[in-house]
Amino acid sequence: MRRWTVACCVVGLGFSAFIRLAGAGQPSAQSDVTGQADDPVQRAEQLWRLAEQKALSDDLAAEAAELLDADDPFARGLAEWALATRVELDNKGQDVRWPQADPPAWRQRWLQLSPEAMIEADYVRFAVLWEIHRDGQKLLDSAHAIVLRAHGAADEALRSGSDTTRTMVERQLDQLDAICRQLAEQVERSPDDLPAHRRLWLCARQAARPIVMANPAADVRRLLFVKQYAAHTHRNITGSQYPWVHKPGGGIYVQEGLEPGSPIREVLQGQLGPGHVRGIDLWWDGTRMVFGYARQAQWPPPFDTVSGNYAFELRGHEEPIHLFEIGVDGSGLRQLTDHPFWSDLEPTYCADGSIVFASDRSGRSSECGRFSADHTVVNLYAVDADGSRVRRVNDNKDIDRHPHSLDNGLIAYTRWEYQERHFMQLHSIWAVRPNGAMADALFKQHLGAPFGLRDTRSVPNSPLLVSIATGHHTFAYGPLVLVDPRHGINTDEGLRIVTPHSKPEEGRMAGEPVDSGGVADRGGLYHGPWALSETCFLVSFSHARPPSNTSGGTNASGFAVYLVDVHGNKELVHRDLLLSCAFPMPLGPRRRPPILPASPVLADRQDAVCYVADVYRDMPGIPRGTIKYLRIAQRVGWPLDEKIGAMRYIPDNAWTRQFGYWSWAPVRVLGKVPVAEDGSAHFTVPADEAVYFQALDENQMEVRRMRSHVTFQPGELRGCVGCHQTQSQAPPIPRHLGLAFRRAPDTPEPPPWGAGRLLGYEWLVQPIFDRHCTTCHGHADPEGGIDLSATRADDGFVQSFRTLFGRREGTDKQFPPLVSVSNRFDDVQVTAPKQFGSHASRLIAVLRNDPLHCKEVKLSPDQWRALVTWIDANAPYYDSFYNKRPKEGGPPRRDVYVQY
C-alpha cells in the first residue's frame, strides 16, 4: 500500500465546498463576528474565512491578533492565517499596501511570532485544508499517515546517518508510536474532545519533523534564496519577463541552516536601490552569484502593470532588467549587461565561466495574445564572464526561457514553440551546449500534457531531472515532478509526480505519482525547485485559495521555502510575513560540470553543415527512392521595436480561429538540396536562423514536414538519423560512407523568386491562375463554381484564395477545400507522411491526374514549383505585418515587409 493512502482516505469535500458548508448558518462577511462562538477555533476560522473574502477589517484583524495568544494552537494557527491572508490580498495589485509607515497594532503583534509558532501555524493550515480538524477519527487517520511518512524518511536517515542521528530517529519513531496510541485512546474514550485530539495530532507532526530534517541529503549548512513580492501582472509566459511583474522589495538572503528562526542576512544591502531580483545562480565554489535585477526607483509607474495591456508604454518608461554578479558576502558587485531597451534575466553559470540568460533582445513579438498586445519574445543569450561580449545562443520565433546548467554541462531550458500546432500545449524541455550548438528536445516535444515544464534542473548523481509542471497562461508554478528522459522523449512513463495533489493551473496533468506516493497536499502550487537527491527537494510552495475569491491572476501568493520528500513529508524552512520566497538552493561548493568540447566545428565557416544518414529511417510507408530533395524553410517571427511596438501578422486576437490564417507566421524558403539514392544528404544551412525541413519527391512535393525548427551555430557540424520530429538517438556510424558524403556539402538552391522573400499569395500564386485557369474559372461564369479570379472579396482576400478553401461567392455553404493545410490549433503529435500539403490537396490531384487538366494546363517548372511550395508552406496569404502605429497616424495597416 502506498504511504499516502491513509492520508487520502480522509479527504472529504473539495476546498470550495468546505468553504460553503463551513459558512452555512454563519453571519455574512459584513456581520460582526465578535462573540460568534465560545470556541476560539470557530472564531478564528470565521475570521480566516472573512479574510479570504477580503472582508477582514482592521477591527477584525485586531481580534485575530488577540487570538494569537489563545490557548488552543488551532485558534492561533487560523488567526495567523487570517492575518497573512489579509496582507497577501491587500498586496495583490501593483500598489504597495504593506509595509506601512505607521502599522496598526495587530500587524506589530503578528510580526512578533516566534519560529516555533510559524511551524505550528503551518501544520494547522494543512489540517484545515484537509478538513480533518473537526473529526477525531480523521485526525487519528492522519496521524497514522504521519507515522508512515516518517518511516519513509527514517529509512534514509538510518541508512546513512551518524550514530547520533540514528539514535535520534529511533527515539522519535518511538515517540510517534506513543502519540498515536494516546490519540487512539483519546478518540475512543472522549470522541468529542477535539482540542485534545488536535493537540496530539500537532504533537505527531512535531515529533516527525526531526526525522524528516535528518535526511542526509538535507545537510544544508547555509541556504540561499530570493525574497520578492508575489507576481501581480499578466500571468503568461509571454508577459512575465518584464521588470514591472513584481513590485520593488526583497532581495537575496542567506540563512544559516534549514530551521526557521536561524540567523539570516541580506546580501545586497541596498547597493542597487529599490527593485527586485529576477533569477539567480550560484558559482560552483559557492563564493559568488549571478542574478537579474530590476531597478525600480519610482513605483508605481504611470501605467497599469496588472492587465498586461501597456507593455509598449511601460517598456519606454521602466528600466530594463540587467545582470549583475556579487560575492556571497555582499562584496564585489559588478554589472554584466546594460541594454537600454531589452531585459536580461534568469541567468545560469556555465562550466566554462560564461553565463547563459534569457532576454528579449531578439526584437520579436509574441505570436499569442490580443491584437493590441505588445509582448516580446524571449530567447537565450550568453555573456562572457567579464561581461565583454554578448552573443545569441539560439533563435526561436516563439520563446525560450528558464535556462539552468545541468550536471552534464548542457543547458536545459523551457522551449515554447508552435509551428502549425496548438499554442498552449508545447512548452517542452530542450537542451543546448553553452556555445549554442546541438540544441535538441530532451522531453515532451510531442506530449500535450502537461502543457509546460519549467525551471528544470539536474538531480545530483542521477540521470533524473526535477521540474515544475505548468500551464501556458500561468507563471512557472505548479506540481513538482521528476523527469526521466531515459524512457524516451515522448512518453508519459518519463514523468513522475512528487506532489500529485497539486494540479497545473491550466490543462490536464500526465504521469504517475512517485512510488512512495508523494506529498499529500490539498491544492497549492510549487515554484523554483532544487533537488538535494532523487527523494528530497527544496522548493517554494504557496497554499492556494478558492479561485472564486481572487480577482484575476494566479490564486497563489505568499510562497515559503519547504523541504519535501517523495515519502510525503513537507516541512517549513522559511516563511516571510510579507514577501514570497523563491529559488532556494544550498549555499556551498558543488561539483562543477564538465566543460564540453565544442561540437564538431568546421573552422572559418559562417554557415553550418548538416547531414542525414538515411532519410527513409522512420518514414513509414514510403518506398526507397521516393525522396529526392530536402526543402529548407523558415517560419518568420513577428517583429517588434521601440517605435512601432509589436508588428502583428494575424488580425484581431491571435487565439481566435480566423479564415486564411492556418499558420502562426509567414514563410520564406531558403532552398532545396538533393537526397542521394541511398537516402543520405549532405548540405549547408545558414547559421543563426531557425529553419525546418521538408522531404520532397521527384515532383518537389512534400512527403513529410517538420513542425518544429532548429538553429545552428557558425561552423557547426550536425547530423541526424533520418526524417523524424525528435531525435532520440545518435546517428549510427555507417558501415559505408553514404553517397552524399563523397562530395562537398551541397549549397541550397534558392527558389526562382529568391531566398530572401516571404511567400505571398497574390504575387506568387494568383499569377499562375491568371495565366492558366481564369479562362474557364473566371469570375463571370466559373465552371463548376470554381472561381480562381483575382476579384477582391469583402474580407480582403481575392476570390481564388477563398475558393481554394471552400468559400464561394453568393452562398454561405462551405465546400470541400481544394488545398490541405495543418491548422495552427492542431495538437502536438508527430506528422505522418503525406498528412498535409500538396500530396493531400485536391487541386494538385486534379492537375496531375485529370485528363482534361493534364492536357490543357501546362505549368512551367517554376510555376509548378511555386504552387506546390506555397501549399507545402501551409498556404500563407500575406507576406507582410501590421504597422500598429503609422508615423502619420491612423488605424493599423499591413505595410511592414521583412527582407533577408
Side-chain angles (χ1 to χ4, degrees):
M1 181 178 67
R2 289 175 174 167
R3 289 193 169 103
W4 48 267
T5 303
V6 175
C8 289
C9 74
V10 303
V11 179
L13 298 171
F15 187 25
S16 59
F18 157 61
I19 290 294
R20 293 194 301 272
L21 291 180
Q26 302 291 345
S28 70
Q30 310 303 321
S31 302
D32 180 7
V33 300
T34 303
Q36 169 64 34
D38 292 334
D39 184 352
V41 174
Q42 291 186 29
R43 285 179 60 193
E45 190 168 345
Q46 180 70 5
L47 292 170
W48 167 62
R49 196 158 54 243
L50 292 172
E52 289 281 1
Q53 300 168 18
K54 295 187 177 180
L56 193 73
S57 66
D58 279 342
D59 287 343
L60 295 178
E63 184 182 351
E66 291 178 5
L67 287 171
L68 295 176
D69 297 316
D71 290 335
D72 193 305
F74 269 70
R76 298 193 297 265
L78 279 161
E80 189 280 326
W81 202 357
L83 296 175
T85 301
R86 159 74 189 270
V87 171
E88 288 171 15
L89 292 179
D90 280 353
N91 272 335
K92 266 290 192 179
Q94 71 177 20
D95 295 331
V96 180
R97 298 279 302 278
W98 301 99
Q100 297 177 347
D102 186 18
W106 63 261
R107 175 164 167 77
Q108 293 294 88
R109 172 63 188 90
W110 180 49
L111 292 176
Q112 295 169 7
L113 286 174
S114 67
E116 294 77 17
M118 294 297 296
I119 294 174
E120 177 188 85
D122 196 64
Y123 294 154
V124 169
R125 292 188 183 195
F126 288 107
V128 171
L129 285 175
W130 275 110
E131 306 168 30
I132 64 175
H133 63 303
R134 296 200 197 99
D135 188 309
Q137 185 59 50
K138 289 182 178 180
L139 288 164
L140 178 59
D141 291 341
S142 177
H144 287 310
I146 293 170
V147 173
L148 289 173
R149 296 196 297 265
H151 273 279
D155 289 343
E156 297 195 52
L158 292 172
R159 281 198 306 268
S160 306
S162 64
D163 291 342
T164 302
T165 298
R166 286 194 289 271
T167 299
M168 180 275 295
V169 168
E170 290 169 352
R171 182 182 66 248
Q172 294 300 118
L173 289 175
D174 290 340
Q175 184 179 348
L176 264 174
D177 289 338
I179 293 169
C180 280
R181 288 193 301 271
Q182 186 178 356
L183 179 54
E185 294 169 0
Q186 276 277 358
V187 170
E188 182 176 0
R189 183 175 61 249
S190 305
D192 296 327
D193 191 359
L194 280 176
H197 304 161
R198 292 173 186 145
R199 285 189 174 90
L200 285 169
W201 180 88
L202 277 174
C203 287
R205 282 298 312 248
Q206 292 160 346
R209 180 180 175 93
I211 302 173
V212 178
M213 305 305 289
N215 189 314
D219 184 17
V220 177
R221 305 299 173 87
R222 291 191 297 169
L223 179 70
L224 179 71
F225 61 98
V226 168
K227 292 186 183 184
Q228 57 191 194
Y229 279 101
H232 65 267
T233 188
H234 192 53
R235 60 167 198 156
N236 192 318
I237 195 170
T238 65
S240 56
Q241 68 269 27
Y242 300 126
W244 53 86
V245 170
H246 300 265
K247 297 185 282 286
I252 302 169
Y253 291 79
V254 175
Q255 176 175 300
E256 300 297 322
L258 298 184
E259 286 300 325
S262 298
I264 186 170
R265 62 179 174 85
E266 209 275 314
V267 174
L268 291 176
Q269 296 293 327
Q271 294 182 67
L272 291 175
H276 70 271
V277 175
R278 295 301 298 277
I280 187 169
D281 197 21
L282 185 66
W283 182 245
W284 316 108
D285 65 4
T287 61
R288 53 191 166 99
M289 65 194 80
V290 63
F291 61 98
Y293 194 82
R295 289 190 177 103
Q296 298 165 296
Q298 296 180 347
W299 187 269
F303 307 99
D304 167 46
T305 63
V306 177
S307 65
N309 295 332
Y310 296 93
F312 178 79
E313 293 82 1
L314 285 162
R315 261 197 309 275
H317 184 272
E318 294 296 290
E319 182 179 350
I321 305 167
H322 306 305
L323 299 187
F324 298 84
E325 190 176 53
I326 194 171
V328 297
D329 60 358
S331 65
L333 176 67
R334 65 191 185 105
Q335 187 165 344
L336 297 174
T337 65
D338 189 22
H339 199 283
F341 191 71
W342 307 115
S343 283
D344 303 328
L345 65 158
E346 299 169 353
T348 188
Y349 281 117
C350 304
D352 63 3
S354 63
I355 297 161
V356 169
F357 60 96
S359 176
D360 49 12
R361 293 169 180 250
S362 62
R364 295 212 185 97
S365 164
S366 164
E367 297 175 9
C368 188
R370 55 180 70 93
F371 184 81
S372 61
D374 286 281
H375 294 304
T376 54
V377 160
V378 176
N379 281 185
L380 299 188
Y381 288 77
V383 60
D384 289 348
D386 59 1
S388 61
R389 180 177 66 105
V390 174
R391 56 184 171 81
R392 186 157 70 178
V393 171
N394 66 338
D395 179 23
N396 182 357
K397 70 179 181 63
D398 301 312
I399 286 177
D400 294 326
R401 282 189 64 180
H402 308 292
H404 295 296
S405 281
L406 299 181
D407 289 349
N408 60 8
L410 295 174
I411 307 297
Y413 60 99
T414 295
R415 179 184 174 99
W416 173 43
E417 61 169 84
Y418 41 100
Q419 181 153 314
E420 304 172 26
R421 296 191 279 180
H422 202 284
F423 68 98
M424 294 200 313
Q425 297 179 3
L426 197 61
H427 298 240
S428 51
I429 302 175
W430 276 53
V432 66
R433 295 192 180 197
N435 67 350
M438 304 301 289
D440 207 349
L442 189 59
F443 188 76
K444 211 195 88 67
Q445 179 68 352
H446 297 284
L447 294 178
F451 285 173
L453 292 169
R454 304 196 214 173
D455 269 327
T456 301
R457 295 182 181 271
S458 285
V459 174
N461 306 310
S462 169
L464 302 182
L465 306 171
V466 65
S467 190
I468 297 292
T470 68
H472 166 74
H473 298 97
T474 70
F475 297 117
Y477 306 158
L480 177 68
V481 299
L482 288 170
V483 175
D484 189 349
R486 294 174 299 178
H487 287 277
I489 294 175
N490 298 305
T491 61
D492 287 345
E493 289 77 10
L495 191 66
R496 304 302 299 274
I497 312 169
V498 180
T499 60
H501 298 280
S502 170
K503 304 299 180 185
E505 293 182 278
E506 181 181 48
R508 64 183 181 88
M509 191 58 192
E512 293 292 330
V514 291
D515 291 338
S516 300
V519 180
D521 297 301
R522 171 59 67 87
L525 297 168
Y526 291 84
H527 174 43
W530 186 281
L532 299 172
S533 69
E534 289 188 353
T535 62
C536 187
F537 313 89
L538 289 168
V539 67
S540 298
F541 173 78
S542 168
H543 295 281
R545 54 178 52 90
S548 60
N549 288 344
T550 61
S551 55
T554 181
N555 64 330
S557 58
F559 281 89
V561 177
Y562 286 85
L563 181 77
V564 303
D565 63 34
V566 297
H567 313 294
N569 297 292
K570 183 174 187 176
E571 295 293 339
L572 181 66
V573 171
H574 185 90
R575 181 186 299 282
D576 188 277
L577 293 181
L578 178 66
L579 302 171
S580 281
C581 302
F583 311 117
M585 60 187 72
L587 176 52
R590 56 194 170 108
R591 186 179 66 84
R592 187 172 178 173
I595 298 178
L596 297 178
S599 63
V601 170
L602 305 171
D604 301 324
R605 293 197 73 109
Q606 296 305 305
D607 57 7
V609 175
C610 298
Y611 65 91
V612 179
D614 184 0
V615 76
Y616 296 102
R617 187 183 176 103
D618 299 324
M619 185 80 80
I622 303 302
R624 285 192 171 273
T626 301
I627 308 301
K628 301 299 183 182
Y629 308 97
L630 293 179
R631 184 188 290 138
I632 305 167
Q634 179 185 14
R635 289 279 172 195
V636 176
W638 303 4
L640 185 147
D641 67 19
E642 55 190 295
K643 295 179 180 178
I644 298 176
M647 288 158 258
R648 314 288 288 181
Y649 181 67
I650 299 173
D652 198 15
N653 298 330
W655 65 81
T656 57
R657 296 182 182 270
Q658 301 177 57
F659 177 84
Y661 297 92
W662 334 116
S663 296
W664 297 98
V667 179
R668 74 173 179 124
V669 175
L670 285 71
K672 66 175 183 179
V673 295
V675 173
E677 293 180 7
D678 63 352
S680 62
H682 185 206
F683 53 95
T684 62
V685 175
D688 205 27
E689 301 280 2
V691 298
Y692 69 100
F693 305 102
Q694 295 166 311
L696 311 179
D697 64 12
E698 61 184 353
N699 296 309
Q700 302 190 56
M701 295 168 61
E702 173 191 278
V703 177
R704 197 178 197 185
R705 73 177 57 173
M706 174 181 173
R707 289 195 290 168
S708 181
H709 52 263
V710 65
T711 305
F712 303 99
Q713 295 298 309
E716 184 174 352
L717 177 61
R718 185 78 180 273
C720 64
V721 296
C723 186
H724 50 74
Q725 291 283 160
T726 44
Q727 181 168 307
S728 59
Q729 55 185 305
I733 299 175
R735 295 180 181 178
H736 306 286
L737 194 63
L739 296 176
F741 305 104
R742 301 179 186 180
R743 59 177 183 266
D746 295 298
T747 300
E749 174 194 327
W753 55 87
R757 192 172 185 184
L758 277 59
L759 304 188
Y761 180 83
E762 292 191 19
W763 66 261
L764 181 65
V765 178
Q766 185 61 48
I768 299 173
F769 292 152
D770 291 341
R771 175 74 180 271
H772 296 281
C773 304
T774 52
T775 301
C776 298
H777 297 287
H779 182 66
D781 186 22
E783 289 188 12
I786 306 297
D787 181 355
L788 297 180
S789 72
T791 305
R792 185 75 57 186
D794 292 341
D795 58 8
F797 298 110
V798 297
Q799 183 55 48
S800 64
F801 182 80
R802 302 175 85 252
T803 299
L804 292 178
F805 292 97
R807 292 191 175 185
R808 300 184 184 180
E809 189 177 29
T811 178
D812 293 331
K813 181 181 178 181
Q814 180 67 41
F815 291 85
L818 303 178
V819 169
S820 170
V821 295
S822 167
N823 192 284
R824 62 191 173 97
F825 293 101
D826 283 350
D827 60 27
V828 298
Q829 299 305 308
V830 175
T831 309
K834 299 185 180 180
Q835 183 175 350
F836 312 109
S838 49
H839 268 290
S841 296
R842 295 172 62 220
L843 172 66
I844 300 302
V846 168
L847 293 176
R848 295 183 67 199
N849 302 323
D850 179 71
L852 178 62
H853 286 85
C854 288
K855 178 180 179 181
E856 297 190 359
V857 181
K858 302 293 185 183
L859 301 185
S860 70
D862 286 353
Q863 290 170 335
W864 175 260
R865 185 174 178 182
L867 184 59
V868 297
T869 298
W870 172 77
I871 293 174
D872 294 341
N874 227 44
Y877 190 89
Y878 290 106
D879 59 348
S880 58
F881 300 88
Y882 280 101
N883 180 348
K884 296 199 301 180
R885 298 174 176 89
K887 203 180 278 188
E888 52 281 357
R893 57 174 179 257
R894 195 184 282 273
D895 64 1
V896 177
Y897 291 85
V898 176
Q899 294 289 328
Y900 286 85

